[in-house]
């Protein structure tokens, strides 16, 4: 499918979670350098983003539109895929950077797919148990005897459910567990087919807008995790520190710009990158303020160290939990996966 060029050369497979092929050239060819009009050098890089173009990725879009990537000598092209495929593509050198969910990065690393996290963009996970308030659910203990859906038994949400139940002295045997695909799980809750789902907390707002009296229990309170993070190949972080560090700095600037100009940045993101969200500007801006600005992009760690700082203890807890609940066979050292700004020679 041919798509128009949006912003800085966006090749967006909107609404499609399949892999976007980025040519057959080598990483070195993709990171080609050309002279800028001002006599400097520009490095062309590709980033593959989880899912499809949505306004919640506003900081990345702002980094293009405000010239933050250009200030770092980077010409950035976007494409979209699902998280597991993104990690594979980054590790293989098919794309230079990825922006997948951290859970898929951990799972892949435990299975020998090596990437480096160079920016822990979301400081918390985005998983939640969602339910209709009319059902009388207010804590994980209330899930006993209820029908609860996850997308599959290898998903992070499956581990999140187990952690929540374990906190209350329960197991999976105490609930009626169902698996429902990503495209149908929210509708299943809305139609009353299940009592609760374990899915993205962002769907809470869509359900609320649709008139559902929805409640949520955030899984991050029971199982430390992260949402989307910036990854690159280990060789890029080590051999191309200017590129890795420059990308992280531009993303930092994009986050700060979005925090300072939420409404304006949402309008830009929808107009130029995510037009299917037209008419939802106010609702998206509210979500950014309530969730992303308040909790996801900022934490005690970022206030001390800057945006994107990865708490290695928290990363280790996320890794260990995947092993505990059977998503990976053995835990590994978080320091082998996560690099912070002071570890990259910018």
């Amino acid at each position: 499918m041919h798509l128009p060029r949006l912003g800085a050369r966006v090749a967006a497979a909107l609404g499609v979670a399949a892999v976007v092929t980025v040519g057959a050239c080598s990483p070195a060819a993709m990171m080609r350098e050309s002279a800028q009009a001002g006599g400097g050098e520009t490095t062309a890089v590709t980033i593959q983003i989880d899912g499809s173009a949505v306004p919640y990725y506003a900081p990345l879009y702002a980094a293009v539109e405000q010239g933050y990537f250009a200030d770092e000598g980077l010409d950035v092209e976007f494409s979209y895929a699902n998280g597991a495929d993104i990690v594979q593509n980054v590790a293989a050198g098919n794309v230079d950077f990825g922006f997948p969910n951290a859970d898929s990065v951990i799972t892949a690393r435990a299975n020998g797919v090596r990437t480096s996290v160079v920016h822990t963009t979301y400081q918390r996970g985005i998983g939640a148990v969602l339910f209709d308030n009319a059902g009388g659910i207010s804590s994980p203990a209330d899930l006993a005897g209820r029908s609860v859906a996850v997308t599959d038994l290898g998903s992070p949400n499956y581990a999140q459910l187990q952690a929540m139940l374990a906190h209350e002295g329960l197991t999976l045997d105490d609930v009626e567990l169902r698996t429902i695909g990503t495209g149908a799980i929210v509708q299943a809750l809305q139609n009353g087919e299940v009592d609760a789902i374990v899915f993205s907390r962002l769907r809470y707002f869509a359900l609320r807008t649709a008139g559902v009296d929805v409640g949520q229990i955030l899984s991050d309170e029971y199982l430390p995790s992260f949402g989307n993070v910036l990854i690159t190949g280990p060789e890029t972080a080590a051999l191309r520190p200017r590129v890795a560090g420059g990308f992280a700095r531009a993303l930092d600037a994009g986050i700060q710009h979005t925090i300072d100009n939420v409404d304006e940045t949402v309008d830009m993101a929808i107009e130029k990158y995510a037009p299917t969200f037209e008419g939802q500007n106010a609702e998206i801006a509210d979500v950014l303020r309530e969730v992303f600005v308040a909790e996801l992009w900022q934490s005690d760690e970022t206030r001390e160290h800057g945006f994107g700082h990865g708490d290695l203890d928290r990363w280790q807890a996320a890794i260990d939990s995947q092993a505990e609940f059977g998503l990976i066979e053995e835990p590994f050292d978080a320091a082998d996966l996560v690099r912070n700004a002071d570890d990259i020679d910018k």
Side-chain angles (χ1 to χ4, degrees):
M1 176 175 67
H2 176 72
L3 292 167
R5 294 161 70 89
L6 303 175
R9 302 162 51 242
V10 180
L14 295 177
V16 180
V19 177
V20 179
T21 303
V22 190
C25 53
S26 68
M30 285 189 295
M31 300 180 73
R32 60 196 181 278
E33 294 184 350
S34 60
Q36 287 182 315
E41 289 186 335
T42 298
T43 301
V45 297
T46 50
I47 178 171
Q48 204 164 58
I49 303 171
D50 200 355
S52 60
V54 296
Y56 303 124
Y57 296 138
L60 285 165
Y61 306 144
V64 172
E65 300 300 325
Q66 295 300 314
Y68 302 137
F69 284 128
D71 290 345
E72 297 293 342
L74 300 176
D75 180 19
V76 179
E77 180 177 342
F78 300 142
S79 63
Y80 301 84
N82 68 57
D85 290 330
I86 291 170
V87 181
Q88 293 281 352
N89 282 333
V90 170
N94 295 329
V95 293
D96 304 306
F97 293 95
F99 198 57
N101 189 289
D103 295 306
S104 61
V105 180
I106 292 172
T107 303
R109 182 59 172 260
N111 288 286
V113 181
R114 295 180 60 83
T115 59
S116 292
V117 176
V118 292
H119 194 278
T120 304
T121 313
Y122 293 8
Q123 295 285 298
R124 293 167 59 91
I126 56 175
V129 173
L130 303 176
F131 48 86
D132 191 317
N133 282 318
I137 297 172
S138 61
S139 77
D142 297 324
L143 296 176
R146 309 293 186 110
S147 56
V148 183
V150 298
T151 53
D152 66 71
L153 302 185
S155 70
N157 298 135
Y158 180 61
Q160 291 159 8
L161 174 60
Q162 292 179 77
M164 290 182 176
L165 294 173
H167 185 269
E168 304 293 344
L170 303 173
T171 70
L172 293 173
D173 292 335
D174 295 303
V175 301
E176 180 190 331
L177 184 65
R178 294 184 58 186
T179 57
I180 301 176
T182 299
I185 192 169
V186 174
Q187 195 70 32
L189 175 64
Q190 195 167 359
N191 293 341
E193 298 171 32
V194 293
D195 297 312
I197 63 175
V198 191
F199 202 50
S200 168
R201 65 181 292 192
L202 300 181
R203 299 304 180 96
Y204 167 85
F205 300 94
L207 285 165
R208 191 174 66 181
T209 299
V212 178
D213 183 17
V214 62
Q216 66 176 338
I217 303 169
L218 302 182
S219 62
D220 203 80
E221 298 173 8
Y222 301 87
L223 184 67
S225 61
F226 304 92
N228 292 68
V229 297
L230 180 67
I231 64 171
T232 190
E235 68 285 348
T236 299
L239 302 178
R240 290 259 187 167
R242 181 187 67 80
V243 172
F247 199 110
R249 279 199 306 276
L251 178 53
D252 286 349
I255 292 172
Q256 188 62 63
H257 178 82
T258 304
I259 290 172
D260 295 339
N261 306 275
V262 172
D263 294 311
E264 170 191 317
T265 308
V266 167
D267 290 346
M268 174 276 296
I270 291 175
E271 178 184 355
K272 295 188 175 183
Y273 296 86
T276 58
F277 288 84
E278 184 178 356
Q280 302 177 48
N281 302 49
E283 292 87 347
I284 297 295
D286 286 344
V287 174
L288 283 184
R289 290 189 180 93
E290 186 174 337
V291 178
F292 289 81
V293 174
E295 300 180 22
L296 294 186
W297 295 332
Q298 301 184 97
S299 67
D300 290 341
E301 290 292 316
T302 67
R303 282 182 276 274
E304 181 177 354
H305 301 286
F307 294 128
H309 184 82
D311 181 343
L312 290 183
D313 290 338
R314 203 165 191 281
W315 270 99
Q316 193 63 58
I319 293 166
D320 292 346
S321 68
Q322 285 210 15
E324 178 182 356
F325 293 109
L327 298 183
I328 60 176
E329 291 187 4
E330 297 289 340
F332 57 89
D333 190 347
D336 293 335
L337 174 65
V338 181
R339 301 185 66 177
N340 284 311
D342 52 1
D343 299 323
I344 302 172
D345 180 14
K346 297 183 180 181

